[in-house]
Amino acid sequence: MAHTRTTTSLRRRLRREVPGTVGLLADARDFAAMRRYRTFPFDDHTTYLRETERLLRTLAAGGTHTTVTLFDPEDYAAYCAETGLDPDTRASRSRYTAEIAAARTRVPYRGQPLDELVPLLVGAAVRHATREYATLLLADAGRCADCGQDIGHAAFDQATRAVLRILDGAGPGTHHLVLSVPAADDHLLAVLHTDRTGPDRPRLDSPEGSEFVTVLAAGLARSAPGGIVLRTSGPGAPDRLHGWRLAHGRLVPLTEAEVFNAYCTDADTGEPLPPEPGVEYRAGFDLAPDDGRPGHH
């Protein structure tokens, strides 16, 4: 009997060492699509979300490290068709969740309620998709017809230097950069938030930094239009706004008036907006020689 109790205790301890992944149907339409499967146990999205949150809390209380990923019913059906799995089984849903979590985006559960977790998860998924698409655009850029240089690699190097030059020129403070590049039927958006409190040069080795540089490189490689806006905050001083536009494969500083107009115009209606109090609208500073100018001929 004592041996049985010891074995059971060891199994429980071992179970706590195994990380878990939960595939979440955050969208009501995705939830409705899963109801066609007989083995899917829920018929109400609100109840499903409540029970999922309860499960996450139980796993966290037991010391299990749990991550959450978005469950895509359409992709799940395609996955089952490709792998020959029966989509109407719990085992197939579990296998799909484990495999997409390893290959795509997941967010660690730290006890936050679902209404806080879902926006984090959706945002992470959007950023992942943006980076994948921008990477595809870079790969498709090919080689320069004149010099043979790989345009994508060159654009990535130039984008890295340009962003570092922006952050270096902005000086100490909290920096928030927003990048927009039109692509096909949509816009690629990337955001970078950094803090500089000392003399060390800024770094771009975070996932956010890598995504920002990749999107900028895609815009430079394709000579697409677009723009970057920099907002710098610091103690005891007004926020400073700077801007640049993408033109013919390089970053061109905006004038003070252009920065003002960009911030003080409603993007949907074109109507003027009042200036933001405590903000200085400044021209973008010169980034030469690292302005993203194409390195190939």
Side-chain angles (χ1 to χ4, degrees):
M1 183 68 69
H3 175 72
T4 300
R5 287 197 298 267
T6 301
T7 301
T8 301
S9 176
L10 288 174
R11 286 176 181 171
R12 289 174 179 170
R13 293 179 182 179
L14 182 60
R15 192 176 296 120
R16 296 191 187 103
E17 300 289 332
V18 179
T21 300
V22 174
L24 178 66
L25 294 160
D27 185 86
R29 288 176 297 180
D30 288 343
F31 176 84
M34 291 301 294
R35 290 190 60 198
R36 67 188 182 202
Y37 299 119
R38 179 184 54 83
T39 58
F40 185 71
F42 293 95
D43 56 14
D44 178 76
H45 193 219
T46 300
T47 302
Y48 163 81
L49 292 176
R50 183 175 63 247
E51 293 302 318
T52 300
E53 185 168 8
R54 184 175 298 173
L55 169 64
L56 290 170
R57 289 177 177 173
T58 300
L59 291 171
T64 300
H65 175 72
T66 306
T67 57
V68 184
T69 185
L70 291 177
F71 194 103
D72 184 339
E74 184 177 340
D75 190 60
Y76 170 66
Y79 167 84
C80 289
E82 182 179 345
T83 57
L85 295 174
D86 179 0
D88 199 0
T89 66
R90 291 187 295 271
S92 295
R93 291 193 291 271
S94 297
R95 178 173 165 181
Y96 171 75
T97 299
E99 293 195 8
I100 65 164
R104 298 184 183 175
T105 304
R106 57 191 185 276
V107 171
Y109 178 71
R110 297 190 174 94
Q112 65 269 59
L114 278 187
D115 58 1
E116 294 181 13
L117 180 66
V118 169
L120 292 175
L121 184 56
V122 172
V126 169
R127 291 192 299 272
H128 177 78
T130 297
R131 182 176 177 181
E132 280 197 334
Y133 184 53
T135 300
L136 180 63
L137 293 177
L138 285 177
D140 288 344
R143 294 186 175 275
C144 176
D146 293 330
C147 69
Q149 187 175 17
D150 187 301
I151 296 174
H153 287 170
F156 190 88
D157 291 342
Q158 292 152 10
T160 300
R161 293 194 301 269
V163 175
L164 288 174
R165 179 68 182 88
I166 288 175
L167 295 175
D168 199 43
T174 299
H175 306 304
H176 187 75
L177 290 94
V178 179
L179 166 65
S180 174
V181 177
D185 299 327
D186 205 349
H187 271 71
L188 294 178
L189 296 174
V191 176
L192 178 61
H193 186 87
T194 66
D195 289 294
R196 279 192 71 192
T197 56
D200 294 340
R201 291 206 66 188
R203 300 176 62 182
L204 301 174
D205 52 1
S206 66
E208 187 182 49
S210 178
E211 176 198 341
F212 193 93
V213 170
T214 302
V215 174
L216 176 57
L220 295 173
R222 298 173 67 86
S223 295
I228 293 178
V229 173
L230 165 68
R231 184 180 188 125
T232 298
S233 306
D239 285 6
R240 306 188 309 274
L241 299 177
H242 301 269
W244 295 262
R245 61 185 172 89
L246 275 71
H248 308 293
R250 59 173 298 195
L251 285 170
V252 179
L254 295 179
T255 65
E256 182 178 321
E258 288 173 327
V259 173
F260 181 88
N261 289 336
Y263 266 91
C264 299
T265 302
D266 189 297
D268 295 324
T269 66
E271 294 295 319
L273 298 172
E276 187 177 345
V279 172
E280 294 182 353
Y281 300 89
R282 298 186 180 183
F285 43 86
D286 187 16
L287 302 179
D290 295 325
D291 59 355
R293 189 188 306 273
H296 53 86
H297 305 299

